[in-house]
Amino acid sequence: MTVPAPLVRRLAVVGAGLIGGSLCLAARSRGLAQRVAVIERDAAALAEASRRGLAHEASADPGAARGADLVVLAVPVGAMGEAAAAVAPHLAEGTVVTDVGSVKGAVLAAVVPALPFPARFVPGHPIAGRERSGAAAADADLFEGALVVLTPEPRTDPACATAVRALWAGAGGRVLTMDAAEHDRVFAAVSHLPHVVAYALVGALLDLEADQGPLVRFSAGGLRDFTRIAQSDPIMWRDICLANREPLLKSLARFRHVLGALEAQIAAGDAAGLLQALARAREARRGMSS
Amino acid sequence: MTVPAPLVRRLAVVGAGLIGGSLCLAARSRGLAQRVAVIERDAAALAEASRRGLAHEASADPGAARGADLVVLAVPVGAMGEAAAAVAPHLAEGTVVTDVGSVKGAVLAAVVPALPFPARFVPGHPIAGRERSGAAAADADLFEGALVVLTPEPRTDPACATAVRALWAGAGGRVLTMDAAEHDRVFAAVSHLPHVVAYALVGALLDLEADQGPLVRFSAGGLRDFTRIAQSDPIMWRDICLANREPLLKSLARFRHVLGALEAQIAAGDAAGLLQALARAREARRGMSS
C-alpha cells in the first residue's frame, strides 16, 4: 500500500477566518499539503490560529507565503486586493494563487493588477458559509459535500485551475466551473439577496420592538432562521453587498416587486390571487439539490 | 402509586391537520382525555387520521362533538367560524371551546357569534407550526416546550381558561396569557411577516430563474431556510394574512422601510452606514429565549 503524495508541498493561506482556518485544517488532516502556513494580521485571530494549531506556521508576516506552491486568499472581499498586494513580492513564478471570495468580478478587478502572474490566478468560491465565523469556528470537514465554484478566465493557465480544483476536491468539495459574471448573478440571487433580506427583517423587528415592546422573545421557527442568518459576519457581508452591487440591486428590485404584489393582495383581500402566489413557492423545492 | 385522573373525559378536536392531529396524539399518549374524537370533513385527511389511529373515533360528522367536555377548533383561520357553527348544535352548556388559530381578533369575531355560550370560549394559539402539514405529520410531542398563548376576554369564564391551560400544559406547552390585539401585533411581526417575506423571496427567485436560468440548484444555507419556510401550507397562510391584515401590513411597511434603507446604502456605496446596519442584527440574538 502506498501513501498518496500530497497534492501541494507548501500551502499558504492568507486569513485565519472560518474558511481559511477550515481549509488549513482540511489540508493537514487530509494530507493535501506537506506544510501549511497561515498568515493573519489580526493579533487575536493569529493567537487563536496558533492555539488551535491550524497550520504548521502561523504568522502576521506576508513573507510566510515565500516558497508556497499554492496561495489561498481567504480574507473578506473588500480586503482581497490588499492581501494580494501584500503577498505578491513573495510569490515565485510557479506559485498558483486562488481566493475564496463570494463575489468574483470585484475580486478579479482588485487582485489581478496586484499579482505578478495573473494567468496563475484562479478565482474560487467555496459555498460553505456558516453563521459562526473566525478561527474558533474552523472545521476540517467544513467543505465535505460543499459546492466550490471556480471562475477561470480565458487567460488562466489550465494547469493552475487543475491544481486548485484538486485542492478543493481533496477537501471534500464538489467543484464546478462558471463564468465570473454568471457566478455573480447567481449568488446575488441565491445567497446575497437572502442575507440582505434577513438583515432587513431582523432590523425591522428591532424597530418594531422599540415601538411596541417585546417581540423577539416570542419568536417561533420562521424568525429564528432569519435571526440566525443575520448573525453572519457583518464586515464580510458589507463587502459582498458593495462588491456585487449591480446584480444584488437587480435581485433586490425583483424581490421588492414580488413582495409588493403580495402586499397588494393582502391589502385588497384578494384570497384567490394570494393563495396562488403562496402555493407557487412549492415549485422551488423541486429544484433543490437536496 | 395512583394513576392521575385524565384532565378531560371527552375531548373533540375539529380538524385532523398537523396541530389537531398532534393534539389528539398528545391527549392519548399523555392521558389528557379518556376518549378523543376527531372530526374532519376532508375524506383523505379523515382516512389518514383513521389509519394513524389519531383518536378513538374519527368522523366527518360534527355530531361527534356531542358529549364532549372540551372542543378544540383546529382548522385554518378562515374556516373557524364555519367549524364553530357546525359543532354549535352539539355543545352542552358545560362544554368548553377553544381554538388553535394563529390570529385571535378575527377568530373571536368569527367564532363568538356562532357559539351558544361565548363565555365558555377560550381563544388559543399553540406556536408549533412546521413546514410539513396534515395528519400524516402529526406528532404526539409537537407541543413539548412550545409556547401556547391564550387570549381570554373579560367575559371568559376563568374555569374554562383553567381547563384549556391544563390541556396545553399536559401536552407539554408553556402557556401564557395575552390580550388578543396584542397577540395579533406580536405575531404579525415575529411570525406572519417572516413567512410573507420567505414566500416573496422564493417567488422572486423563481422569477429570476425564469429570466436568467438555473438558480435554486446553487442554493446554500440561507436560501434553504427561506425555501423551507415557504413550503408551509398556503391555505393556512393565506387565511392568516387576510385575517391579520392590519397588523401585518404595518409590519410589512416597517420591513420595506428598513430594506429600502439598506438598498440605498448599497446603491450609494455607504460602507460605514451599511456595516452599522448589518452589525445591529446581532442585538436580536440576545433577546431570544433559546
Side-chain angles (χ1 to χ4, degrees):
Chain A
M1 189 180 152
T2 58
V3 177
L7 292 165
V8 175
R9 279 184 306 110
R10 296 174 74 91
L11 173 69
V13 176
V14 184
L18 172 69
I19 301 291
S22 297
L23 184 60
C24 289
L25 287 175
R28 295 193 66 173
S29 68
R30 294 166 188 245
L32 308 178
Q34 275 174 355
R35 193 165 168 84
V36 179
V38 66
I39 297 160
E40 171 58 62
R41 68 180 184 182
D42 177 78
L46 181 62
E48 180 67 16
S50 296
R51 198 190 62 74
R52 291 203 55 195
L54 296 185
H56 299 94
E57 179 187 0
S59 172
D61 177 9
R66 199 170 300 120
D69 307 287
L70 179 52
V71 173
V72 180
L73 305 175
V75 297
V77 164
M80 286 289 180
E82 201 184 331
V87 294
H90 311 292
L91 303 179
E93 199 170 335
T95 310
V96 179
V97 180
T98 187
D99 78 299
V100 304
S102 300
V103 181
K104 301 283 36 108
V107 166
L108 271 161
V111 167
V112 162
L115 292 180
F117 311 106
R120 303 186 66 78
F121 175 55
V122 184
H125 175 205
I127 320 299
R130 284 190 184 167
E131 287 71 27
R132 291 185 59 210
S133 51
D139 173 0
D141 296 322
L142 182 66
F143 308 109
E144 192 57 56
L147 198 63
V148 179
V149 179
L150 305 184
T151 64
E153 299 285 284
R155 67 168 161 249
T156 307
D157 179 343
C160 297
T162 300
V164 173
R165 177 182 284 271
L167 176 76
W168 286 114
R174 298 178 291 122
V175 185
L176 61 82
T177 294
M178 282 170 88
D179 172 74
E182 170 72 2
H183 167 281
D184 288 354
R185 268 199 307 277
V186 166
F187 288 92
V190 303
S191 172
H192 311 166
L193 172 64
H195 275 81
V196 172
V197 165
Y199 280 113
L201 189 87
V202 172
L205 265 286
L206 291 170
D207 279 359
L208 287 165
E209 206 163 43
D211 285 359
Q212 71 184 55
L215 287 175
V216 176
R217 71 155 102 135
F218 297 108
S219 67
L223 182 61
R224 275 172 203 277
D225 291 319
F226 283 93
T227 314
R228 189 174 39 72
I229 295 167
Q231 301 313 301
S232 304
D233 182 4
I235 292 175
M236 176 180 152
W237 282 96
R238 175 202 61 190
D239 284 3
I240 290 172
C241 290
L242 297 179
N244 205 24
R245 179 159 54 181
E246 294 310 324
L248 176 55
L249 289 173
K250 203 181 146 196
S251 290
L252 274 163
R254 185 63 66 110
F255 170 73
R256 285 167 73 82
H257 176 79
V258 174
L259 183 70
L262 285 177
E263 204 171 343
Q265 288 168 323
I266 293 167
D270 176 4
L274 187 57
L275 179 61
Q276 192 172 28
L278 301 183
R280 185 180 171 226
R282 295 199 165 182
E283 292 170 28
R285 201 63 173 181
R286 290 183 225 128
M288 300 202 102
S289 53
S290 65
Chain B
M1 186 180 152
T2 56
V3 176
L7 291 165
V8 175
R9 278 185 306 108
R10 297 174 73 92
L11 172 70
V13 176
V14 183
L18 172 68
I19 301 291
S22 296
L23 183 59
C24 288
L25 287 176
R28 294 193 67 176
S29 69
R30 295 167 189 244
L32 307 179
Q34 274 175 355
R35 194 167 167 83
V36 180
V38 67
I39 297 162
E40 171 58 61
R41 66 180 185 184
D42 177 78
L46 181 62
E48 180 68 16
S50 295
R51 196 190 63 74
R52 291 203 56 194
L54 296 185
H56 299 94
E57 178 186 1
S59 172
D61 176 11
R66 199 170 300 118
D69 307 287
L70 177 54
V71 172
V72 181
L73 305 176
V75 297
V77 164
M80 286 290 179
E82 201 184 332
V87 294
H90 310 291
L91 302 179
E93 199 170 334
T95 310
V96 179
V97 179
T98 186
D99 78 299
V100 303
S102 300
V103 181
K104 302 281 40 104
V107 165
L108 271 161
V111 166
V112 162
L115 292 179
F117 310 107
R120 302 186 67 77
F121 175 55
V122 184
H125 176 205
I127 320 300
R130 282 191 186 168
E131 287 70 29
R132 292 185 58 211
S133 51
D139 173 359
D141 296 322
L142 182 66
F143 309 108
E144 192 57 56
L147 198 64
V148 179
V149 179
L150 304 184
T151 64
E153 299 286 285
R155 67 169 161 248
T156 307
D157 179 341
C160 297
T162 299
V164 173
R165 176 183 284 272
L167 176 76
W168 287 114
R174 297 178 292 123
V175 185
L176 61 82
T177 295
M178 283 169 89
D179 171 72
E182 170 71 2
H183 167 281
D184 288 354
R185 266 198 308 276
V186 166
F187 288 92
V190 303
S191 172
H192 311 165
L193 172 64
H195 275 81
V196 172
V197 166
Y199 280 113
L201 189 87
V202 173
L205 265 285
L206 291 170
D207 279 0
L208 287 165
E209 204 163 45
D211 285 358
Q212 72 184 55
L215 287 174
V216 176
R217 71 156 100 133
F218 297 107
S219 66
L223 182 60
R224 277 175 200 276
D225 290 320
F226 284 93
T227 314
R228 188 173 41 69
I229 295 167
Q231 302 311 302
S232 304
D233 182 5
I235 292 176
M236 176 180 152
W237 282 96
R238 174 202 62 188
D239 284 4
I240 290 171
C241 290
L242 298 179
N244 205 25
R245 179 157 55 181
E246 294 311 324
L248 176 55
L249 288 173
K250 201 181 149 198
S251 290
L252 273 163
R254 186 61 69 110
F255 170 72
R256 286 167 73 83
H257 176 78
V258 174
L259 183 70
L262 284 177
E263 205 171 342
Q265 287 168 323
I266 293 166
D270 176 4
L274 187 56
L275 179 61
Q276 192 171 28
L278 300 183
R280 185 181 171 224
R282 296 199 164 181
E283 291 170 29
R285 202 63 173 179
R286 289 184 228 128
M288 301 202 102
S289 52
S290 65

